[in-house]
Amino acid sequence: MSKKGTRRHASGGPTMADLAQLAGVSKITVSRALGDSPLVNPETRERIQALAREHGYKLNISARNLRLRRSHTVAVIVEMKPSTDRTMFDPYPLVLLGGISQELTAAGYSVLLTTRQGASAAAVQAADGLILLGQGAHQDAVRRFDKLNLPMVVWGAQSGSDTHVVVGSDNRLGGAVVARHFIALGRHRPVFIGNPSHPEIFERLNGFIDALAVRGIKPLLMRRDEFTVDSGMDAVHSLHQRKVGFDAIFACNDLLAMGAIRATLDLGRSVPADVSVVGYDDMPLGASFLPPLSSVRQDWQEGGMLLARKVLALIEGEPASSESLPVSLIVRST
């Protein structure tokens, strides 16, 4: 035993766990402090670095990675399939990825970004942890990547059967605030556009249904698998062809909402005088759309940072729990 009871390796130096115990912090905080991460406040960072100098601890990244068989890489898999209408440049997943990258880079980790189709690569399987953006219909993506046996955190909606950590927005609340908005506007024939096979969409729909039920209102579900402008237009044209009356539309994302507005205007109806429309995600494009789109806002940046923090905790063997972020309705002109 060395001074202050610190254990030493055969090489003569203390372990990171020793420093963490001396400093009264977690191992990941020690790792960040020794890497000059801005995520650790200056006072704590300097105190940990002073302890490291005092006890002769040096952070040897190559040796540590070899010893722990770590790559110091986190794989980030985007479950969505990019398309012309729904690109990787949208806030989901771009801003979410920004939050993830900021946090992982500050902790000394590399980010391996891929899509669901590229997730069988050896580099993904060699990663220390996995962040999955999107659960897939019926959680099929979650089941698939569970088989990799990596510490995994998922962006999506929580359920009672989860065996993994989930970070996401309060989708049920999001649906409820839209329903209350329509009720306040005096709407009685609302339509929901989306695919509730996806857990997040399912929660939005159920929040919407439950809040409307208080006033005895039942929404019509227009199931659409593609979350695009064209799909939103198709949904409204289908309603028109079937001569279905409606005075409000809640679309499960902003692109569907924009398509619904475009089709509604093409059919000679006014938005919002005849039909109120609300989207979800609050994309920058929605604010500049004509008319400017009302939408439910999610905090993508905070969500990305939380995903990264939780996967880092799991990698270090520390506890992590699921977490739900608040949402807010941004009312504009629709």
Side-chain angles (χ1 to χ4, degrees):
M1 300 289 283
S2 63
K3 187 166 73 170
K4 295 187 180 181
T6 305
R7 296 186 305 276
R8 291 184 175 272
H9 288 308
S11 61
T15 67
M16 185 176 291
D18 297 331
L19 285 181
Q21 185 174 9
L22 286 169
V25 298
S26 66
K27 287 192 295 182
I28 194 168
T29 299
V30 171
S31 178
R32 288 173 174 171
L34 297 179
D36 285 322
S37 168
L39 297 175
V40 182
N41 71 64
E43 182 181 342
T44 302
R45 191 164 64 233
E46 290 169 10
R47 181 166 58 86
I48 292 171
Q49 290 175 355
L51 280 170
R53 287 192 296 270
E54 179 183 352
H55 293 280
Y57 181 89
K58 292 184 179 180
L59 183 63
N60 186 326
I61 292 175
S62 297
R64 178 184 62 182
N65 289 353
L66 181 61
R67 182 174 67 254
L68 298 177
R69 296 187 180 278
R70 286 189 180 174
S71 63
H72 255 59
T73 298
V74 171
V76 180
I77 299 174
V78 182
E79 190 274 333
M80 67 173 272
K81 183 179 181 181
S83 65
T84 304
D85 280 337
R86 194 176 183 219
T87 71
M88 296 280 278
F89 299 108
D90 293 333
Y92 176 83
L94 189 60
V95 179
L96 203 58
L97 290 169
I100 291 169
S101 298
Q102 175 179 318
E103 197 80 5
L104 291 179
T105 302
Y109 276 74
S110 299
V111 178
L112 175 63
L113 176 63
T114 186
T115 61
R116 182 173 180 171
Q117 291 72 28
S120 59
V124 171
Q125 298 177 32
D128 297 333
L130 171 65
I131 295 175
L132 176 61
L133 303 184
Q135 294 159 302
H138 308 293
Q139 299 222 45
D140 61 334
V142 175
R143 287 193 294 273
R144 173 182 174 182
F145 296 117
D146 258 342
K147 296 176 183 177
L148 294 179
N149 293 318
L150 291 172
M152 182 171 74
V153 180
V154 179
W155 174 266
Q158 299 177 40
S159 72
S161 60
D162 289 334
T163 57
H164 49 273
V165 176
V166 179
V167 174
S169 296
D170 190 338
N171 291 283
R172 184 174 288 269
L173 175 61
V177 297
V178 175
R180 291 194 283 266
H181 174 65
F182 287 161
I183 289 170
L185 293 174
R187 303 303 189 183
H188 299 286
R189 293 174 295 171
V191 172
F192 181 92
I193 303 177
N195 181 358
S197 295
H198 295 265
E200 290 176 276
I201 312 305
F202 179 80
E203 289 297 307
R204 290 171 202 173
L205 174 59
N206 279 301
F208 190 57
I209 290 172
D210 290 348
L212 289 172
V214 174
R215 296 298 182 92
I217 300 172
K218 293 183 179 180
L220 172 67
L221 169 62
M222 291 294 290
R223 182 185 292 267
R224 288 295 181 274
D225 293 332
E226 298 295 327
F227 301 155
T228 62
V229 171
D230 286 345
S231 185
M233 292 183 67
D234 177 74
V236 169
H237 284 301
S238 177
L239 289 169
H240 177 71
Q241 290 165 4
R242 291 158 50 191
K243 295 182 170 52
V244 175
F246 60 95
D247 59 9
I249 295 174
F250 176 27
C252 73
N253 82 338
D254 286 345
L255 293 176
L256 280 168
M258 292 176 202
I261 292 171
R262 187 177 296 174
T264 300
L265 297 175
D266 288 346
L267 292 170
R269 303 186 71 187
S270 173
V271 176
D274 298 324
V275 181
S276 296
V277 181
V278 175
Y280 211 101
D281 293 341
D282 192 32
M283 296 171 59
L285 182 61
S288 59
F289 189 74
L290 292 177
L293 178 66
S294 298
S295 184
V296 177
R297 175 176 293 170
Q298 305 190 72
D299 192 341
W300 298 113
Q301 180 77 13
E302 179 65 19
M305 293 172 69
L306 276 174
L307 287 165
R309 289 172 192 160
K310 290 178 185 295
V311 80
L312 288 172
L314 293 177
I315 289 169
E316 294 295 332
E318 299 173 358
S321 58
S322 296
E323 191 164 341
S324 183
L325 295 167
V327 297
S328 58
L329 175 62
I330 307 301
V331 178
R332 297 192 178 96
S333 302
T334 62

